[in-house]
Amino acid sequence: MREIHEPVLVPVPGSERLSDDVVRHAIRTPDRVLLARREGGAWRDVTAKEFLADVTGVAKGFLAAGVGVGDRVGLMSRTRYEWTVCDYAIWFAGAVTVPIYETSSPEQIEWILADSGAVAVVLESEKLAALHGEVAGRLPAETHVYVIDRGDLTRLTEAGRSVTDEELETRRTSVEATDLATIIYTSGTTGRPKGCELTHRNFAFEAENVVASTPEIFAADSSTLLFLPLAHVFGRIIEIACLQSGVRMGHTADVTNLLEDLAEFRPTFLLAVPRVFEKIFNGSQQKAIAGGKGAIFDRAAATAIAYSTALDSGGPGLLLRVQHAVFDRLVYSKLRDAMGGRVAWAVSGGAPLGARLGHFFRGIGLVILEGYGLTETAGATTVNRPGLLRIGSVGRPFPGAAVRVAEDGEILLAGPHIFVGYWANPQATAEVLEADGWFHTGDLGALDSEGYLSITGRKKEILVTAGGKNVAPAVLEDRLRGHWLISQCMVVGDAKPYIAALVTVDLDSFPAWKSQNGKDADASVADLAQDPDLVATIQTAVDEANKAVSKAESIRRFRVLAVDWTEDGGQLTPSMKLRRSVVLEEFAPDVDALYG
C-alpha cells in the first residue's frame, strides 16, 4: 500500500477556537472537575468555573498590559498548572503562545523570542528569569516580563480588573479558526530551530477527531497526569484534548517522584516517550534481581510477552492463560499498583517503542498505543487505537488524516492538522510543504496491506558504507536502547568499510550491573569502559540488534564511552533526539578508534 486516507469523524467549523472549550464547560457544567493542582502536598480539584476564572483573570491582565491580537507571548516553564492557565489566557487575549523549553540556553531563548518578535514573556522561576536577563537587552520588541514564582500572575489579574467581561469576550471571539494559536520552535538536531506555525483549527481538528475515535481513553471518568514538557507538541495536544473532552488533568514536573505522584493521582491513561517505559521495565527487573526474584520476573515477563503475542494469533491457550493468571497475582498487579492501579492505556511517541516492550506492557494489562507525528503536524498523524492496534507499528491515520509513502520511501502526511509553514521562512516552508497540502516528513517508512505505518529511519540519516550499502541506523539504535544497561547509542559508518556504534551506559542501571558482576561499587563508567565483563554485556545487546539486519548492515565494532549523552551536554534535543552532528564532532576520536 502506498497511500491511505482515513474518513473524518468531526469536521471543525470555521469559527472554532481553542478557548471555546473552556467557556463551554464553564457554562454547561460549571462544577465539573477539569484539572487538579498540587497544593501543600495534596491534589486539589479545579472545576470548570474556577479554571475559567483563573484564565480570564490573567487574560484581562494581558489586555491591560497592551498585548494585542496576534501578538506573540513567550512561555517558559516546567509542566505545571500555571502553564495551562497562561496558554489559554494568551488565547483568550487573542495572542499567540510561543513555548520555550525550560532547559533552553540564553542563546536559544534569545533566538526564539527575537525571531518570533514576542512582546512579552512568562517565566516560571528566578532561575529562568536570570537566564532570560542575560539576553533581555537584545530583545527590543519585548516590553513585559512576568515570573510565576514572584506572584506575577496574581498581579496580572489585579491589573486587569478594569477590563470588562464584554471587552475580553470581544477580543476572544475576534480570533478565527485559521488564526495562529502558537509558534513552536523545533528543537532542531542541526542548525537554528524553525518556528512551526500552528492554527486553532490545526489543534482543534486533531484533538476532536482523536477524542471521537478513542472513547475508551477520553471517557467521562478518565484522568491523566502530564509530566512531559508542555513546550513539546506531544504534551500540548494532550492538554488540548483533555480540556476539549473534559478529562481530569494534573501536572507534575518532578519525574524523580513520578511513581509516587502516579500512586496519589491514580490516572487512567498516561502519555510518555519510550524511555519512560524502558525505565519502568528495567527498574522493575533490577529490583526483582536485587530481591532474589530475578528468575521469577524473567518468567513473568516472558509469559506477558507470549500472552500478548497470542492475542494477535487466535488467543492464548489454557496453559498460557493459567500461567498469566498466576503471574498477574504475583507480578503484574504490583506493577499496575505502582502506577496508581487504574492505568489501562498509555500513548507513546517521540521515538519507536519496540514490539517487545509493547507486548510486555499489554501482557501486564497496560496497553501502549504507539503513534507518530511531528511538530509540523500538531502532534500525531497516525496512532494505534483500541480495536485498531498493531504492536510494532505506529498505527493508522487518525480520522481526517492521510499518509502517503513516496517511491523513495519518504513518508508524506496530509490533513487539516498540517501546519501553515515556518515563521518568517518561506524557503524552508516550500522545501517541505507541497501546494496540494502534502507535508514531507523526512522520515522513511512503509504501509502494510491494512494501512498500518511502520517507521524505518530518517531520509537524511541513511548511512552509505564504503562498499555502497545503504544502512538505516534507527533499526539498530532502537534495539540497542532497549537493553537495560544502555542509555544512548549512535550507529556510524558513513563512507566507512563497516558499521560500528558508540554506546553510553545507563547510570541508573550501572550500580546494579556492578553488584551483579562483582565490581567495585565506587568504580565509574570511565574506570570500566573496557572491562571485559561490561564489553561482553554490551555485546549481547549488539548481537540481538544485529538479528534485525543483514550481515552487511550489522554492527562489527562498538565503543563504550566514559560519559552519557544528555540534553545539558548538548548531545540531545529537549525531545531526546540525538544531535548526530554534535556527537560526531565531539567524539570524533572515538569514531576514529573504531576504524583504527
Side-chain angles (χ1 to χ4, degrees):
M1 182 179 289
R2 284 288 183 185
E3 189 170 317
I4 178 172
H5 296 251
E6 192 79 8
V8 68
L9 282 179
V10 186
V12 177
S15 60
E16 185 81 13
R17 60 189 71 82
L18 296 172
S19 60
D20 290 345
D21 295 327
V22 180
V23 175
R24 173 172 52 83
H25 285 303
I27 292 174
R28 296 179 184 176
T29 53
D31 296 323
R32 179 173 185 166
V33 174
L34 288 185
L35 300 104
R37 62 184 304 184
R38 199 70 179 266
E39 290 183 351
W43 291 99
R44 182 180 74 80
D45 287 338
V46 179
T47 65
K49 179 173 60 178
E50 291 171 328
F51 183 62
L52 176 65
D54 288 344
V55 169
T56 55
V58 175
K60 287 179 178 181
F62 284 139
L63 261 67
V67 174
V69 174
D71 281 350
R72 278 74 62 202
V73 178
L75 179 52
M76 186 179 186
S77 168
R78 296 180 303 163
T79 300
R80 56 189 285 177
Y81 173 76
E82 290 85 355
W83 207 107
T84 298
V85 169
C86 289
D87 201 16
Y88 278 82
I90 291 167
W91 291 334
F92 264 71
V96 177
T97 306
V98 181
I100 307 171
Y101 286 99
E102 75 275 8
T103 53
S104 297
S105 68
E107 182 179 335
Q108 291 169 324
I109 296 169
E110 179 184 358
W111 167 253
I112 291 171
L113 293 176
D115 186 66
S116 65
V119 301
V121 63
V122 179
L123 305 164
E124 177 185 22
S125 62
E126 296 296 344
K127 176 185 175 182
L128 298 185
L131 291 176
H132 171 267
E134 294 182 29
V135 300
R138 299 192 291 272
L139 300 170
E142 185 182 271
T143 55
H144 298 283
V145 178
Y146 307 101
V147 181
I148 295 172
D149 288 349
R150 289 179 186 165
D152 285 352
L153 297 189
T154 300
R155 281 188 279 275
L156 253 179
T157 300
E158 289 295 328
R161 293 199 183 279
S162 60
V163 178
T164 67
D165 292 342
E166 291 74 20
E167 286 177 286
L168 180 61
E169 184 65 6
T170 298
R171 173 68 69 85
R172 186 186 75 82
T173 55
S174 69
V175 174
E176 298 294 334
T178 53
D179 288 332
L180 283 187
T182 191
I183 303 172
I184 303 179
Y185 281 77
T186 58
S187 49
T189 54
T190 60
R192 288 243 191 227
K194 297 188 290 290
C196 297
E197 300 175 297
L198 292 163
T199 67
H200 288 261
R201 175 177 287 166
N202 290 150
F203 275 137
F205 179 83
E206 176 162 336
E208 293 192 18
N209 279 278
V210 168
V211 167
S213 62
T214 54
E216 303 90 338
I217 298 173
F218 293 93
D221 60 347
S222 294
S223 63
T224 192
L225 182 63
L226 290 178
F227 52 88
L228 293 181
L230 282 166
H232 192 278
V233 73
F234 187 23
R236 196 79 166 290
I237 191 63
I238 296 296
E239 170 200 68
I240 292 166
C242 286
L243 282 166
Q244 188 274 322
S245 62
V247 165
R248 179 173 176 261
M249 176 174 59
H251 305 73
T252 183
D254 187 4
V255 294
T256 59
N257 293 319
L258 181 59
L259 288 181
E260 291 89 337
D261 286 339
L262 291 176
E264 290 180 13
F265 194 85
R266 304 189 70 228
T268 60
F269 75 93
L270 298 175
L271 74 153
V273 293
R275 193 62 179 156
V276 171
F277 299 112
E278 290 168 3
K279 287 282 189 180
I280 292 173
F281 177 87
N282 293 336
S284 301
Q285 183 183 50
Q286 293 310 305
K287 184 177 180 180
I289 291 172
K293 299 179 180 179
I296 294 176
F297 183 90
D298 289 344
R299 289 199 298 273
T303 299
I305 293 169
Y307 184 87
S308 175
T309 303
L311 292 175
D312 296 331
S313 56
L318 177 60
L319 178 59
L320 184 54
R321 292 201 304 272
V322 171
Q323 291 173 330
H324 185 268
V326 171
F327 283 125
D328 189 69
R329 291 194 299 273
L330 295 175
V331 180
Y332 310 151
S333 60
K334 293 180 174 60
L335 287 172
R336 294 194 301 271
D337 288 343
M339 291 181 281
R342 299 177 66 220
V343 176
W345 307 96
V347 183
S348 177
L353 176 69
R356 179 173 170 273
L357 273 182
H359 281 301
F360 169 78
F361 278 100
R362 180 167 68 165
I364 72 166
L366 171 58
V367 181
I368 299 178
L369 304 170
E370 194 170 4
Y372 166 74
L374 300 92
T375 305
E376 291 88 343
T377 67
T381 292
T382 68
V383 64
N384 281 286
R385 288 168 269 160
L388 288 172
L389 172 65
R390 181 153 300 172
I391 291 176
S393 80
V394 292
R396 293 167 53 97
F398 74 81
V403 177
R404 174 187 295 170
V405 177
E407 291 299 324
D408 63 356
E410 184 179 9
I411 301 166
L412 279 67
L413 307 174
H417 62 304
I418 301 297
F419 79 143
V420 175
Y422 295 115
W423 175 261
N425 198 338
Q427 180 179 345
T429 302
E431 290 172 358
V432 299
L433 200 58
E434 295 184 359
D436 58 1
W438 284 97
F439 167 66
H440 289 253
T441 66
D443 290 320
L444 301 174
L447 287 167
D448 68 12
S449 59
E450 295 180 46
Y452 288 89
L453 180 67
S454 296
I455 310 300
T456 58
R458 285 285 296 169
K459 189 174 181 180
K460 293 182 180 179
E461 291 172 2
I462 293 295
L463 306 176
V464 182
T465 67
K469 181 65 178 178
N470 286 9
V471 179
V475 177
L476 293 160
E477 290 168 353
D478 294 339
R479 288 206 169 200
L480 281 173
R481 278 192 295 266
H483 190 275
W484 68 278
L485 189 57
I486 294 176
S487 175
Q488 298 292 335
C489 60
M490 189 174 88
V491 170
V492 297
D494 199 43
K496 301 292 186 182
Y498 52 81
I499 295 299
L502 300 175
V503 176
T504 74
V505 171
D506 188 314
L507 297 181
D508 292 333
S509 301
F510 190 49
W513 181 88
K514 287 187 289 185
S515 176
Q516 294 166 23
N517 289 271
K519 307 300 177 183
D520 184 345
D522 294 328
S524 66
V525 176
D527 295 332
L528 300 177
Q530 298 184 48
D531 180 88
D533 294 329
L534 181 61
V535 172
T537 300
I538 302 300
Q539 185 66 58
T540 61
V542 170
D543 292 342
E544 185 63 29
N546 282 341
K547 292 178 182 178
V549 297
S550 67
K551 185 177 180 179
E553 297 169 284
S554 64
I555 297 169
R556 307 288 182 86
R557 296 184 68 187
F558 63 87
R559 190 171 177 86
V560 179
L561 302 181
V563 297
D564 196 5
W565 299 331
T566 64
E567 182 187 347
D568 289 340
Q571 301 92 4
L572 302 179
T573 71
S575 56
M576 303 307 289
K577 293 183 178 66
L578 192 62
R579 287 191 166 107
R580 293 179 182 273
S581 59
V582 172
V583 172
L584 283 174
E585 180 178 353
E586 186 175 347
F587 295 90
D590 295 285
V591 175
D592 291 341
L594 289 167
Y595 299 97

